[in-house]
Amino acid sequence: MADPTRRKPPLQVIREGNPGKRPVPEGVRLPPADLVEPDWTDTFAEVTGAQGPVNARCRTVASREWRRVVPVLEFTAGIGTVDTSTLTDYCICIARIDQCEREISTNGILMLGERGWQKNGATTIVGQYRTQLARYIGELGLSPSARGRLTPPEDSGDDDDDVFD
């Protein structure tokens, strides 16, 4: 049963209608937009390291994640052009986590340094990226619990008053 004390998110109120005629903040009314995937070479420059092109895989991972989540978010969250930077950062975060995990898999969690065995620096970095990823997942509604807070819009059959038309 739904919690009667919990307010519906403003976007959900807009999608489902507002039978109580309570005011909805104007700032949440965003027209849907066709989001254009960023040029990942701006973020992940062409750099060659000891193991080949360092950022080529990051560009691939970020692009694949963009193409995976944007269609879903356009349908479920009604994202707009203003959300491009959040989505871009989310994809960068995914790519960097992949990069750190590959570094840890290649060189191990512990590395032999000047003063003996020490923690691979990628373990600290990946932890910070995972913390940020958790925030993005909550903001964008990409986890089951975040999706549970939204209910899908009901099809009333009357599309004349639809904000997104």
Side-chain angles (χ1 to χ4, degrees):
M1 184 170 138
D3 184 1
T5 60
R6 179 177 280 194
R7 298 182 109 182
K8 290 182 181 178
L11 184 60
Q12 182 178 352
V13 172
I14 291 169
R15 284 193 319 235
E16 294 178 355
N18 191 1
K21 305 297 184 218
R22 292 179 193 91
V24 178
E26 287 296 318
V28 300
R29 295 178 185 252
L30 295 174
D34 290 329
L35 298 176
V36 178
E37 184 175 353
D39 181 10
W40 296 112
T41 56
D42 292 342
T43 305
F44 304 111
E46 299 284 341
V47 178
T48 303
Q51 299 163 347
V54 176
N55 288 327
R57 181 173 167 120
C58 287
R59 286 191 297 274
T60 303
V61 170
S63 179
R64 182 175 56 226
E65 189 66 15
W66 178 278
R67 286 183 267 121
R68 185 181 75 85
V69 299
V70 166
V72 173
L73 291 174
E74 285 176 336
F75 176 73
T76 60
I79 57 175
T81 311
V82 297
D83 302 314
T84 304
S85 61
T86 303
L87 285 168
T88 302
D89 285 348
Y90 165 78
C91 292
I92 290 169
C93 199
I94 292 288
R96 291 297 186 200
I97 289 172
D98 179 72
Q99 185 179 27
C100 287
E101 290 296 342
R102 285 184 291 118
E103 160 65 24
I104 293 167
S105 294
T106 303
N107 296 319
I109 293 175
L110 297 175
M111 299 177 68
L112 190 56
E114 293 178 7
R115 298 182 182 159
W117 290 98
Q118 55 195 25
K119 183 169 66 168
N120 186 337
T123 58
T124 302
I125 296 168
V126 77
Q128 293 168 343
Y129 273 115
R130 286 189 189 281
T131 300
Q132 188 60 40
L133 179 65
R135 289 189 184 117
Y136 288 136
I137 286 171
E139 274 187 43
L140 297 171
L142 295 172
S143 71
S145 62
R147 283 191 304 273
R149 289 189 290 270
L150 292 176
T151 56
E154 295 176 14
D155 186 17
S156 62
D158 181 17
D159 290 334
D160 295 336
D161 296 339
D162 193 357
V163 175
F164 296 116
D165 279 345

